[in-house]
Every structure is written in C-alpha cells, then in structure tokens.
Amino acid sequence: MAFWSSQTLKAKLPTLITPYDPDKIEQASYTLRIGREIFITKDHRNSNSQHTKKILSIDEAFVIPPGQFAFLLTEESVKIPDNAIAFISMKARLKYKGLVNISGFHVDPGFSGKLLYSVYNAGPTPINLQHNLPIFLIWYASLDETDLQPRTSQGFSDIPIDVINQVSADEIYSLQALSSEFRELNFNISQKITQLEHNTCEQLDKINRTNNEARRWVDWTKYGVTTIISLLFVFLLYISSSVISVGKFIFEQKEDLKYVIEYAKHFDDYKDTSISLEKQKKDLELLSEKQSSIEAELNTLKKNHPRLFNRNRD
C-alpha cells in the first residue's frame, strides 16, 4: 500500500472530490471544508441550545461548548476507488484546543458521498467554527489490487436521524466541566461544613449561656432560701426574746399592776366626782354671767337716773 503523492492527488482528485480545488492539496493530503448541516449536543448551561440539526447560512459561525459532541458534514462529496482506501483526520490547531475526531480514521473502498465527522470538545474552552472552514484532512492510498468487496451503500448526503438519536439528550460533561462541578461541589460542601460548624458553635454557646444562667439562678435561689431561713430564725429569736422580756417585765412590775388594777376599780368613782365638779363649774359660770348682767343694768340706771342715786346718798 502506497500513499498518493501531491502529484497523484492533483491527477486523480478532480474526478473523486466535488467541488474540487487544487489549492487544497498540500503535503500529500487534501483539505475538506465544513458543510452547511451540523448537529451539536444540547448545552444545558445555555438556554438557547437545542438538541436538533441546524442548517448554516453561508459562512455562518457556530460554537462547540466544552464537553459537547458535534456531527459535522463536509461541504465536499468524495469517492474512494475500489483499488484505494482513504484516511481522515483534522488540522492540528484544532486538536491542540481539545477538539477530538471520534468518527474513525479511514474511508472504505467504494465509498461515495459526503463525510460525516463526529467530534468532541475535550478542551476547557468553547471552540468557534464556521461554514466553509477548511479543517478536515484526507489521504488516499492504493491497495495492492482492486478490492472485490467494496462498500456498496451510499455515503452521507445529510446527517441521519438515527445517528442523532444515538446521542443522549441529557447533559454531557467534559473533564473540565466535571472538574468545575467537583470544585463547585467541594466549595458548597465546605460552605455547608463551615456553616454547620458556625451553627454548632452558636448552639454550644447558647447551651453554655443557658447553663451559666441556670447555675446563677440556682446560686441565687440557694442564697435567697438561706437568707429567708436566716431572717426567719432571727425573727423567731426576736419574738422569743420579746416574749421573755415582756414576761419578765410583767413579773417585775407585779406590784405596779396591782396598783393599776386598784386604780381601775376606783376609776368610776373618780369619773363621777369629775362630772360633778364640771357641773358646779358650769353653775358658777352662769352665776358670774348673771352678776355681770345685773351690774350692767345698774350702771345703765345710774346713767339714766343719777339724781335717784344721789338722793339716796343724802
């Protein structure tokens, strides 16, 4: 098996690749372009992303997000003779960004149609592409003889629905996306642990404060009970002392009490005597008032009849 040189490609490819451009031949390979029909798996982080085929306008750009698959149909149709085989790949500049060809690396003898590239963005950043962008490479090689069992089915004219249905509509993660998810999950767990520790410390502080308040309450209760008992004891001692003092006083003043009792017996007589004296006092006051009245009348008569009183003197 021998790979075709650039000269051989220029001689044979005009009938094998449509549309053909001789400027696309270099280093014994031919560069194919991105066609108008594409499919990209749905990016759940983008609300505008859809799990469906798309027909691009001329030179329209599109993006393959990190961790997403894409089916890219070539703009050119290719034919592989029965006595040859082809190998396919992508430009190195896209591989360096993380775009990986996962559709296979050869084209069967007898193939005729557009090539369907299945690619995966394994890189950390979105990859921007567009219609007519020359990124696919194809090499031809001759077999030692014509293959008697070449491919008989036609190649692709569009992206088959059954191929799309084999790709999950659920979110597909790249290593970068998984790493980001892991970091976010780790951060959230750390935050929750920190919050839990904070809440636990707050609860412990609250329990300690409650215990301290309970201890203070118990201490104050003990102090209050002790104080009350002490005051009751002192009060009882005071009452006992007072009772003893009163008893002693009564015992010592026994004779005086006898005198008081005797005085109380004669109190009624004294009361009657006092009432009689009061009555006599009032009578004397009445007599004094009458005397004053008589003297006033005599003075009036003296003023009115002085001769009468002078005659009596003679």
Side-chain angles (χ1 to χ4, degrees):
M1 181 177 65
F3 282 92
W4 294 2
S5 66
S6 297
Q7 297 87 327
T8 303
L9 292 175
K10 288 181 180 180
K12 295 184 177 182
L13 289 187
T15 59
L16 299 177
I17 294 180
T18 306
Y20 168 75
D21 182 359
D23 293 335
K24 294 293 190 295
I25 296 175
E26 55 183 358
Q27 290 86 43
S29 66
Y30 187 90
T31 303
L32 302 172
R33 297 169 296 159
I34 297 176
R36 295 186 61 185
E37 186 170 334
I38 65 170
F39 170 82
I40 302 173
T41 53
K42 184 176 182 179
D43 182 10
H44 291 264
R45 289 166 293 185
N46 183 0
S47 59
N48 295 324
S49 178
Q50 296 181 351
H51 193 78
T52 185
K53 291 194 296 183
K54 181 178 181 180
I55 304 300
L56 301 174
S57 59
I58 301 299
D59 295 334
E60 181 181 352
F62 62 93
V63 176
I64 303 177
Q68 301 304 313
F69 289 93
F71 293 120
L72 307 177
L73 203 63
T74 60
E75 181 71 15
E76 296 85 0
S77 295
V78 301
K79 293 181 181 179
I80 310 299
D82 293 347
N83 62 349
I85 191 171
F87 297 91
I88 57 175
S89 184
M90 289 190 306
K91 293 282 188 179
R93 67 175 185 272
L94 294 175
K95 295 179 182 179
Y96 297 154
K97 293 180 179 180
L99 192 63
V100 181
N101 173 30
I102 58 174
S103 55
F105 301 96
H106 76 280
V107 186
D108 297 328
F111 177 88
S112 178
K114 294 185 176 183
L115 295 176
L116 180 62
Y117 277 79
S118 177
V119 297
Y120 174 70
N121 184 2
T125 58
I127 295 178
N128 295 278
L129 302 173
Q130 71 178 78
H131 171 244
N132 276 328
L133 188 67
I135 64 170
F136 304 121
L137 297 174
I138 185 169
W139 293 267
Y140 281 81
S142 296
L143 300 176
D144 57 350
E145 60 179 328
T146 300
D147 191 83
L148 298 179
Q149 295 179 333
R151 178 170 177 163
T152 56
S153 61
Q154 291 294 317
F156 300 102
S157 59
D158 59 5
I159 301 175
I161 295 298
D162 59 341
V163 173
I164 295 175
N165 290 336
Q166 294 176 14
V167 181
S168 173
D170 296 331
E171 186 171 5
I172 301 172
Y173 289 96
S174 65
L175 295 177
Q176 180 68 21
L178 290 174
S179 178
S180 298
E181 290 287 335
F182 177 78
R183 285 196 298 269
E184 183 177 356
L185 180 62
N186 186 45
F187 175 77
N188 291 335
I189 291 174
S190 298
Q191 290 289 99
K192 289 184 180 296
I193 291 174
T194 302
Q195 184 64 34
L196 182 61
E197 290 176 347
H198 178 71
N199 293 338
T200 302
C201 290
E202 286 186 347
Q203 292 296 327
L204 290 175
D205 290 340
K206 186 176 181 180
I207 291 172
N208 290 332
R209 288 195 299 269
T210 303
N211 289 337
N212 292 334
E213 291 176 359
R215 290 193 189 97
R216 286 195 295 271
W217 185 85
V218 170
D219 292 339
W220 278 106
T221 302
K222 290 180 179 179
Y223 176 77
V225 171
T226 304
T227 302
I228 291 172
I229 292 173
S230 300
L231 291 174
L232 287 174
F233 181 73
V234 171
F235 179 73
L236 291 174
L237 288 177
Y238 174 76
I239 294 298
S240 300
S241 177
S242 299
V243 171
I244 293 171
S245 298
V246 170
K248 184 177 180 181
F249 175 78
I250 292 173
F251 180 77
E252 291 177 351
Q253 302 296 327
K254 184 176 181 181
E255 294 298 328
D256 293 337
L257 287 173
K258 289 181 180 180
Y259 173 77
V260 171
I261 293 170
E262 188 67 25
Y263 175 78
K265 290 179 180 179
H266 297 286
F267 179 74
D268 291 336
D269 296 338
Y270 171 77
K271 184 177 180 181
D272 294 337
T273 304
S274 177
I275 292 172
S276 178
L277 291 173
E278 288 290 333
K279 185 177 181 181
Q280 292 177 5
K281 183 178 179 181
K282 288 181 179 180
D283 292 339
L284 289 173
E285 290 177 353
L286 290 174
L287 290 175
S288 177
E289 289 177 358
K290 288 181 179 181
Q291 182 180 357
S292 298
S293 177
I294 292 170
E295 289 178 354
E297 290 178 357
L298 287 174
N299 290 330
T300 302
L301 289 173
K302 286 179 181 182
K303 290 180 181 180
N304 295 330
H305 306 282
R307 294 180 179 179
L308 180 61
F309 283 93
N310 291 330
R311 184 182 295 176
N312 288 334
R313 287 181 182 177
D314 295 337

